[in-house]
């Protein structure tokens, strides 16, 4: 008898294990409503296609989005709806928005629009953009390539710009918010033209440009060249100048057609050899035009290459979970990370503006099931976010022990 009971218990145990294994194998995969790289269709439907090839993107502290194309700048609500259209400053190359919602644009000269979208004649006259004037410290008939606004403690903010130096304009200069040259900033007319700039959390300035300026430079918040940084990065970028840069957590990232395509340096100029070795191994294509860094340290690169937009993990390897929908838009000219974590890209062709998921998004939590009287069934309704509708769900039923 004991032997038979033992055999029976062993059989039951084996059956239990088999059922558990079958449940593990047969368990359906988790369903995601969205994945990284797909378009957020609610925004993209609202924003429309009434733009041109995007030359600059910016945001303000309240989540509004600014899009520059040709000689037009549009202000969009976070939903994608256009709230303001600005023009009059000429073809825009660069753009930044100050804490008052005024838009500083780099074109043929340095201009500013008021928060209501009108040209700020006082500021534009002071910079020399309108009416046309020449002279050291003015930014007139000089092509402005990049702009940033330093938020300074205990004083007015400062506008940093780079230009081609035409008509005695500074190659890199600092202006007060009135448009007058800031005497506390070390401007220069002697270095080759920088083509891009970015600020770190301490308002230090990172610039990219041609070989004559060393491809990558760091300046203090007042414009003094950091010679130790220059020495550290010397020889790390060769042949081809960077096309874009981004700064995050005191690291600087540059992209271009140089060997490796994407490189990462510390704020001291120390090369991240693990990251840079991995990007070189990934054999990224040429044609990178823009780079941004997410809050989690992942790096997004856009350009004219086949995929148009890719994402790198924090170690420089390709993030295979990110798959951008490149069927429309063509070349990605610009990209920014929005306050909600999404990435906004500005493209060369229609639809021009695309908002992209950066994380997996699950369907919403189901509500309380609605019982169907008499047949022992219940209806469970699950609402998915905008975009792809999931094709299946896993519902787990748990018996309520208080019911009979």
């Amino acid at each position: 008898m004991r032997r038979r009971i033992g055999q029976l218990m062993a059989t039951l145990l084996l059956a239990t294990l088999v059922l558990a294994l079958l449940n593990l194998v047969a368990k359906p995969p988790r369903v995601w409503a969205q994945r990284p790289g797909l378009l957020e269709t609610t925004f993209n439907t609202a924003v429309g296609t009434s733009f041109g090839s995007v030359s600059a993107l910016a945001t303000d502290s309240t989540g509004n989005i600014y899009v520059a194309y040709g000689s037009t700048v549009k202000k969009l609500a976070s939903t994608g709806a256009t709230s303001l259209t600005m023009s009059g400053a000429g073809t825009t190359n660069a753009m930044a928005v100050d804490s008052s919602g005024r838009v500083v644009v780099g074109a043929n000269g340095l201009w500013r629009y008021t928060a209501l979208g009108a040209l700020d004649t006082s500021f534009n006259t002071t910079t020399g953009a309108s009416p046309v004037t020449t002279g050291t410290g003015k930014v007139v008939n000089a092509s402005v390539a990049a702009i940033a606004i330093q938020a300074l403690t205990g004083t007015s903010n400062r506008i940093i710009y780079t230009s081609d130096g035409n008509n005695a304009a500074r190659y890199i200069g600092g202006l007060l918010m009135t448009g007058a040259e800031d005497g506390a900033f070390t401007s220069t007319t002697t270095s080759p033209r920088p083509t891009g700039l970015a600020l770190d959390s301490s308002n230090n300035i990172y610039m990219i440009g041609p070989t004559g300026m060393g491809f990558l430079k760091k300046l203090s918040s007042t414009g003094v060249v950091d010679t130790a940084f220059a020495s550290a990065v010397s020889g790390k970028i060769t042949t081809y100048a960077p096309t874009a840069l981004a700064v995050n957590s005191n690291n600087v990232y540059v992209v271009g057609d140089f060997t490796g395509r994407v490189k990462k340096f510390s704020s001291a100029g120390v090369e991240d050899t693990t990251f840079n070795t991995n990007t070189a191994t990934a054999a990224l294509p040429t044609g990178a035009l823009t780079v941004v860094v997410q809050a989690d340290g992942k790096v997004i690169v856009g350009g004219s290459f086949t995929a148009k937009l890719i994402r790198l993990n924090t170690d420089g390897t390709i993030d295979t979970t990110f798959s951008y929908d490149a069927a429309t838009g063509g070349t990605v000219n610009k990209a920014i990370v929005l306050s909600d974590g999404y990435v906004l890209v500005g493209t060369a062709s229609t639809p021009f503006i695309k908002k992209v998921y950066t994380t997996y998004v699950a369907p919403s939590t189901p509500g309380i099931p609605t019982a169907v009287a008499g047949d022992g069934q219940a209806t469970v309704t699950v609402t998915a976010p905008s975009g792809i509708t999931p094709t299946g769900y896993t519902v787990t039923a748990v018996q309520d022990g208080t019911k009979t």
Side-chain angles (χ1 to χ4, degrees):
M1 175 66 71
R2 289 181 179 178
R3 182 178 180 182
R4 294 187 61 187
I5 291 175
Q7 290 175 337
L8 179 61
M9 293 298 292
T11 302
L12 289 173
L13 178 60
L14 179 61
T16 301
L17 291 172
V18 170
L19 287 173
L21 180 62
L22 287 173
N23 181 64
L24 179 64
V25 173
K27 186 177 181 180
R30 185 170 184 179
V31 176
W32 297 104
Q34 302 292 0
R35 59 169 173 74
L38 286 181
L39 302 184
E40 199 288 288
T41 56
T42 299
F43 176 93
N44 292 319
T45 298
V47 76
T49 60
S50 298
F51 302 89
S53 181
V54 174
S55 58
L57 295 170
T59 58
D60 64 22
S61 59
T62 59
N64 293 305
I65 299 165
Y66 299 78
V67 180
Y69 60 97
S71 59
T72 301
V73 175
K74 282 187 176 180
K75 178 182 178 181
L76 314 178
S78 59
T79 59
T82 299
S83 60
L84 197 62
T85 300
M86 296 163 260
S87 63
T91 301
T92 299
N93 306 317
M95 174 172 58
V97 184
D98 69 18
S99 57
S100 299
R102 297 173 298 187
V103 183
V104 182
V105 298
N108 190 19
L110 196 63
W111 305 69
R112 187 167 69 193
Y113 294 104
T114 69
L116 298 178
L119 284 172
D120 186 336
T121 54
S122 175
F123 177 89
N124 300 337
T125 298
T126 304
T127 64
S130 174
V132 174
T133 45
T134 61
T136 301
K138 302 292 185 181
V139 196
V140 52
N141 287 339
S143 179
V144 175
I147 303 171
I149 298 177
Q150 293 177 326
L152 304 178
T153 302
T155 184
S156 174
N157 294 341
R158 179 188 293 130
I159 299 168
I160 307 297
Y161 69 90
T162 69
S163 83
D164 62 4
N166 193 36
N167 281 344
R170 308 296 196 184
Y171 281 104
I172 178 166
L175 302 180
L176 302 172
M177 299 307 290
T178 60
E181 187 165 38
D182 186 345
F185 186 85
T186 305
S187 300
T188 179
T189 58
T190 58
S191 64
R193 178 188 185 183
T195 55
L197 64 84
L199 306 177
D200 66 16
S201 58
S202 299
N203 279 322
N204 294 308
I205 303 162
Y206 297 83
M207 301 189 308
I208 55 172
T211 183
M213 64 156 280
F215 293 133
L216 176 64
K217 268 188 177 180
K218 178 184 178 182
L219 311 179
S220 72
S221 60
T222 57
V224 178
V225 174
D226 185 330
T227 54
F229 181 92
S231 177
V233 300
S234 178
K236 299 297 191 298
I237 303 171
T238 58
T239 310
Y240 298 101
T243 52
L245 79 164
V247 176
N248 176 268
S249 300
N250 291 322
N251 292 308
V252 58
Y253 302 80
V254 294
V255 299
D257 289 346
F258 47 77
T259 301
R261 315 297 187 223
V262 185
K263 286 185 178 288
K264 175 184 177 183
F265 301 92
S266 73
S267 59
V270 177
E271 182 179 14
D272 186 328
T273 54
T274 298
F275 184 95
N276 295 348
T277 297
N278 286 336
T279 56
T281 301
L284 303 175
T286 59
L289 298 173
T290 185
V291 58
V292 292
V293 187
Q294 296 178 183
D296 61 3
K298 291 188 175 183
V299 181
I300 292 181
V301 181
S304 60
F305 46 83
T306 301
K308 308 306 184 200
L309 196 72
I310 61 172
R311 187 165 71 179
L312 304 176
N313 293 309
T314 55
D315 64 357
T317 57
I318 296 288
D319 184 351
T320 56
T321 68
F322 187 91
S323 181
Y324 173 66
D325 181 0
T328 61
T331 296
V332 173
N333 295 335
K334 300 291 179 181
I336 55 173
V337 178
L338 301 177
S339 58
D340 57 10
Y342 290 82
V343 166
L344 190 76
V345 299
T347 63
S349 57
T350 187
F352 302 111
I353 296 296
K354 301 167 76 173
K355 186 176 181 180
V356 177
Y357 285 97
T358 56
T359 60
Y360 285 102
V361 180
S364 64
T365 303
I368 298 173
T370 303
V372 179
D375 61 4
Q377 299 182 25
T379 299
V380 178
T381 301
V382 181
T383 302
S386 62
I388 294 176
T389 301
T391 56
Y393 302 94
T394 299
V395 178
T396 302
V398 180
Q399 181 178 358
D400 185 345
T402 65
K403 307 297 182 182
T404 58

